[in-house]
Short mmCIF file of all heavy atoms in Angstrom, two decimals:
data_model
loop_
_atom_site.label_atom_id
_atom_site.label_comp_id
_atom_site.label_asym_id
_atom_site.label_seq_id
_atom_site.Cartn_x
_atom_site.Cartn_y
_atom_site.Cartn_z
N TYR C 147 -9.05 10.04 -12.55
CA TYR C 147 -9.78 9.96 -11.27
C TYR C 147 -9.11 10.79 -10.18
O TYR C 147 -9.75 11.45 -9.40
CB TYR C 147 -9.99 8.55 -10.84
CG TYR C 147 -10.76 8.38 -9.54
CD1 TYR C 147 -12.15 8.56 -9.53
CD2 TYR C 147 -10.10 8.20 -8.31
CE1 TYR C 147 -12.87 8.43 -8.32
CE2 TYR C 147 -10.83 8.17 -7.13
CZ TYR C 147 -12.21 8.25 -7.15
OH TYR C 147 -12.88 8.19 -5.99
N LEU C 148 -7.77 10.73 -10.17
CA LEU C 148 -7.00 11.44 -9.14
C LEU C 148 -7.22 12.93 -9.29
O LEU C 148 -7.36 13.69 -8.33
CB LEU C 148 -5.50 11.11 -9.22
CG LEU C 148 -5.13 9.64 -9.10
CD1 LEU C 148 -3.60 9.51 -9.03
CD2 LEU C 148 -5.77 9.02 -7.87
N GLU C 149 -7.23 13.35 -10.55
CA GLU C 149 -7.48 14.80 -10.84
C GLU C 149 -8.90 15.19 -10.35
O GLU C 149 -9.07 16.27 -9.73
CB GLU C 149 -7.38 15.01 -12.32
CG GLU C 149 -6.70 16.29 -12.74
CD GLU C 149 -6.12 16.09 -14.15
OE1 GLU C 149 -5.02 15.58 -14.28
OE2 GLU C 149 -6.76 16.55 -15.04
N GLU C 150 -9.83 14.35 -10.64
CA GLU C 150 -11.27 14.63 -10.18
C GLU C 150 -11.30 14.63 -8.65
O GLU C 150 -12.03 15.48 -8.05
CB GLU C 150 -12.22 13.59 -10.74
CG GLU C 150 -12.42 13.67 -12.18
CD GLU C 150 -13.28 12.48 -12.62
OE1 GLU C 150 -14.42 12.31 -12.16
OE2 GLU C 150 -12.79 11.64 -13.44
N ALA C 151 -10.55 13.77 -7.99
CA ALA C 151 -10.56 13.75 -6.54
C ALA C 151 -10.03 15.00 -5.99
O ALA C 151 -10.54 15.55 -4.99
CB ALA C 151 -9.77 12.50 -6.05
N ARG C 152 -8.99 15.55 -6.65
CA ARG C 152 -8.39 16.82 -6.13
C ARG C 152 -9.45 17.94 -6.29
O ARG C 152 -9.60 18.76 -5.36
CB ARG C 152 -7.14 17.16 -7.01
CG ARG C 152 -6.45 18.43 -6.59
CD ARG C 152 -5.65 18.25 -5.34
NE ARG C 152 -6.23 19.00 -4.17
CZ ARG C 152 -5.78 18.88 -2.96
NH1 ARG C 152 -4.81 18.03 -2.63
NH2 ARG C 152 -6.33 19.64 -2.00
N GLN C 153 -10.12 17.96 -7.43
CA GLN C 153 -11.22 18.99 -7.60
C GLN C 153 -12.28 18.85 -6.54
O GLN C 153 -12.72 19.82 -5.95
CB GLN C 153 -11.82 18.83 -8.98
CG GLN C 153 -11.01 19.51 -10.09
CD GLN C 153 -11.52 19.13 -11.48
OE1 GLN C 153 -12.61 18.59 -11.61
NE2 GLN C 153 -10.74 19.48 -12.50
N PHE C 154 -12.64 17.57 -6.26
CA PHE C 154 -13.69 17.31 -5.30
C PHE C 154 -13.33 17.79 -3.91
O PHE C 154 -14.08 18.49 -3.28
CB PHE C 154 -13.97 15.77 -5.31
CG PHE C 154 -15.01 15.37 -4.26
CD1 PHE C 154 -16.32 15.43 -4.56
CD2 PHE C 154 -14.60 14.97 -2.96
CE1 PHE C 154 -17.32 15.04 -3.62
CE2 PHE C 154 -15.57 14.57 -2.05
CZ PHE C 154 -16.94 14.60 -2.37
N VAL C 155 -12.10 17.54 -3.46
CA VAL C 155 -11.73 17.95 -2.12
C VAL C 155 -11.58 19.49 -2.07
O VAL C 155 -11.87 20.11 -1.02
CB VAL C 155 -10.44 17.24 -1.59
CG1 VAL C 155 -10.68 15.76 -1.46
CG2 VAL C 155 -9.19 17.57 -2.40
N ASN C 156 -11.14 20.07 -3.15
CA ASN C 156 -11.02 21.53 -3.20
C ASN C 156 -12.41 22.21 -3.03
O ASN C 156 -12.60 23.13 -2.26
CB ASN C 156 -10.36 22.02 -4.51
CG ASN C 156 -8.88 21.69 -4.55
OD1 ASN C 156 -8.30 21.34 -3.60
ND2 ASN C 156 -8.32 21.91 -5.70
N GLU C 157 -13.36 21.60 -3.74
CA GLU C 157 -14.75 22.09 -3.72
C GLU C 157 -15.33 21.98 -2.28
O GLU C 157 -16.12 22.83 -1.89
CB GLU C 157 -15.55 21.21 -4.66
CG GLU C 157 -16.53 21.94 -5.55
CD GLU C 157 -17.03 20.97 -6.63
OE1 GLU C 157 -16.29 20.81 -7.67
OE2 GLU C 157 -18.05 20.30 -6.37
N HIS C 158 -14.96 20.93 -1.63
CA HIS C 158 -15.62 20.62 -0.31
C HIS C 158 -14.73 20.88 0.86
O HIS C 158 -15.04 20.52 1.96
CB HIS C 158 -16.11 19.20 -0.33
CG HIS C 158 -17.19 18.93 -1.38
ND1 HIS C 158 -18.45 19.34 -1.23
CD2 HIS C 158 -17.10 18.33 -2.54
CE1 HIS C 158 -19.15 19.01 -2.34
NE2 HIS C 158 -18.26 18.40 -3.14
N ASN C 159 -13.58 21.54 0.59
CA ASN C 159 -12.70 21.93 1.69
C ASN C 159 -12.22 20.77 2.56
O ASN C 159 -12.28 20.85 3.79
CB ASN C 159 -13.40 23.02 2.50
CG ASN C 159 -12.45 23.90 3.27
OD1 ASN C 159 -11.28 23.95 2.92
ND2 ASN C 159 -12.87 24.50 4.35
N LEU C 160 -11.84 19.70 1.87
CA LEU C 160 -11.27 18.52 2.57
C LEU C 160 -9.80 18.41 2.21
O LEU C 160 -9.36 18.89 1.22
CB LEU C 160 -12.01 17.26 2.13
CG LEU C 160 -13.53 17.24 2.22
CD1 LEU C 160 -14.08 15.91 1.59
CD2 LEU C 160 -14.01 17.35 3.65
N ALA C 161 -9.10 17.71 3.07
CA ALA C 161 -7.73 17.29 2.72
C ALA C 161 -7.77 15.98 2.00
O ALA C 161 -8.80 15.26 2.07
CB ALA C 161 -6.83 17.20 3.98
N LEU C 162 -6.69 15.66 1.23
CA LEU C 162 -6.69 14.43 0.44
C LEU C 162 -5.40 13.61 0.77
O LEU C 162 -4.31 14.11 0.65
CB LEU C 162 -6.71 14.80 -1.07
CG LEU C 162 -6.80 13.66 -2.03
CD1 LEU C 162 -8.10 12.86 -1.88
CD2 LEU C 162 -6.69 14.20 -3.48
N HIS C 163 -5.66 12.39 1.28
CA HIS C 163 -4.55 11.48 1.64
C HIS C 163 -4.49 10.32 0.71
O HIS C 163 -5.59 9.77 0.31
CB HIS C 163 -4.74 10.98 3.11
CG HIS C 163 -3.76 9.97 3.49
ND1 HIS C 163 -2.40 10.21 3.73
CD2 HIS C 163 -3.94 8.62 3.78
CE1 HIS C 163 -1.83 9.11 4.10
NE2 HIS C 163 -2.66 8.08 4.14
N LEU C 164 -3.29 9.87 0.38
CA LEU C 164 -3.13 8.56 -0.34
C LEU C 164 -2.43 7.53 0.47
O LEU C 164 -1.33 7.78 0.92
CB LEU C 164 -2.37 8.79 -1.66
CG LEU C 164 -2.21 7.56 -2.56
CD1 LEU C 164 -3.61 7.16 -3.07
CD2 LEU C 164 -1.25 7.72 -3.66
N ASP C 165 -3.09 6.43 0.68
CA ASP C 165 -2.42 5.25 1.16
C ASP C 165 -1.72 4.66 -0.02
O ASP C 165 -2.31 3.96 -0.83
CB ASP C 165 -3.42 4.28 1.79
CG ASP C 165 -2.76 2.99 2.28
OD1 ASP C 165 -1.53 2.81 1.96
OD2 ASP C 165 -3.36 2.20 3.02
N GLY C 166 -0.47 4.98 -0.18
CA GLY C 166 0.33 4.59 -1.32
C GLY C 166 1.28 3.44 -0.99
O GLY C 166 2.41 3.39 -1.47
N ALA C 167 0.80 2.52 -0.15
CA ALA C 167 1.63 1.36 0.21
C ALA C 167 2.32 0.76 -1.05
O ALA C 167 3.52 0.50 -1.06
CB ALA C 167 0.79 0.29 0.93
N ARG C 168 1.48 0.63 -2.08
CA ARG C 168 2.03 0.11 -3.36
C ARG C 168 1.87 1.16 -4.48
O ARG C 168 1.59 0.80 -5.66
CB ARG C 168 1.30 -1.19 -3.75
CG ARG C 168 1.50 -2.36 -2.80
CD ARG C 168 1.05 -3.66 -3.34
NE ARG C 168 1.30 -4.79 -2.41
CZ ARG C 168 0.48 -5.10 -1.43
NH1 ARG C 168 -0.69 -4.47 -1.28
NH2 ARG C 168 0.79 -6.12 -0.60
N VAL C 169 2.16 2.39 -4.17
CA VAL C 169 2.04 3.43 -5.20
C VAL C 169 3.05 3.25 -6.35
O VAL C 169 2.76 3.62 -7.46
CB VAL C 169 2.17 4.85 -4.57
CG1 VAL C 169 3.52 5.17 -4.08
CG2 VAL C 169 1.67 5.92 -5.56
N TYR C 170 4.19 2.62 -6.04
CA TYR C 170 5.16 2.35 -7.13
C TYR C 170 4.61 1.34 -8.13
O TYR C 170 4.93 1.41 -9.28
CB TYR C 170 6.52 2.00 -6.56
CG TYR C 170 7.37 3.21 -6.29
CD1 TYR C 170 7.29 3.87 -5.02
CD2 TYR C 170 8.21 3.74 -7.23
CE1 TYR C 170 8.04 4.98 -4.76
CE2 TYR C 170 8.97 4.85 -6.98
CZ TYR C 170 8.89 5.53 -5.77
OH TYR C 170 9.60 6.65 -5.52
N ASN C 171 3.82 0.37 -7.61
CA ASN C 171 3.19 -0.58 -8.54
C ASN C 171 2.24 0.20 -9.42
O ASN C 171 2.12 -0.12 -10.62
CB ASN C 171 2.45 -1.63 -7.78
CG ASN C 171 3.39 -2.52 -6.97
OD1 ASN C 171 3.78 -2.21 -5.86
ND2 ASN C 171 3.78 -3.65 -7.55
N ALA C 172 1.50 1.20 -8.91
CA ALA C 172 0.63 2.03 -9.72
C ALA C 172 1.41 2.77 -10.80
O ALA C 172 1.08 2.76 -11.98
CB ALA C 172 -0.17 2.95 -8.86
N ALA C 173 2.53 3.43 -10.37
CA ALA C 173 3.32 4.23 -11.27
C ALA C 173 3.91 3.32 -12.39
O ALA C 173 3.89 3.78 -13.56
CB ALA C 173 4.44 4.94 -10.47
N VAL C 174 4.42 2.17 -12.02
CA VAL C 174 5.00 1.31 -13.02
C VAL C 174 3.90 0.82 -13.99
O VAL C 174 4.09 0.83 -15.21
CB VAL C 174 5.70 0.10 -12.37
CG1 VAL C 174 6.00 -1.03 -13.38
CG2 VAL C 174 7.00 0.58 -11.68
N ALA C 175 2.75 0.45 -13.52
CA ALA C 175 1.65 -0.05 -14.35
C ALA C 175 1.17 1.07 -15.34
O ALA C 175 0.86 0.77 -16.48
CB ALA C 175 0.49 -0.52 -13.48
N LEU C 176 1.19 2.30 -14.85
CA LEU C 176 0.70 3.40 -15.69
C LEU C 176 1.83 3.98 -16.55
O LEU C 176 1.57 4.81 -17.40
CB LEU C 176 0.15 4.55 -14.80
CG LEU C 176 -1.18 4.26 -14.09
CD1 LEU C 176 -1.41 5.36 -12.96
CD2 LEU C 176 -2.35 4.20 -15.04
N ASN C 177 3.05 3.59 -16.28
CA ASN C 177 4.24 4.11 -16.88
C ASN C 177 4.30 5.60 -16.73
O ASN C 177 4.54 6.38 -17.67
CB ASN C 177 4.27 3.70 -18.38
CG ASN C 177 5.64 3.91 -18.96
OD1 ASN C 177 6.66 3.97 -18.27
ND2 ASN C 177 5.70 4.07 -20.29
N VAL C 178 4.05 6.09 -15.49
CA VAL C 178 4.21 7.50 -15.17
C VAL C 178 5.22 7.66 -14.00
O VAL C 178 5.40 6.71 -13.32
CB VAL C 178 2.88 8.20 -14.78
CG1 VAL C 178 1.88 8.08 -15.88
CG2 VAL C 178 2.31 7.60 -13.46
N ASP C 179 5.81 8.80 -13.85
CA ASP C 179 6.61 9.08 -12.67
C ASP C 179 5.74 9.08 -11.45
O ASP C 179 4.65 9.66 -11.48
CB ASP C 179 7.37 10.41 -12.84
CG ASP C 179 8.46 10.51 -11.74
OD1 ASP C 179 9.58 10.02 -11.99
OD2 ASP C 179 8.13 11.01 -10.67
#
Side-chain angles (χ1 to χ4, degrees):
Y147 180 79
L148 303 187
E149 222 156 276
E150 289 173 63
R152 181 76 248 172
Q153 278 170 12
F154 177 85
V155 298
N156 287 350
E157 223 166 275
H158 298 284
N159 203 20
L160 306 175
L162 186 61
H163 173 69
L164 183 66
D165 179 348
R168 295 193 180 87
V169 69
Y170 273 87
N171 293 85
V174 165
L176 291 167
N177 197 22
V178 300
D179 190 89

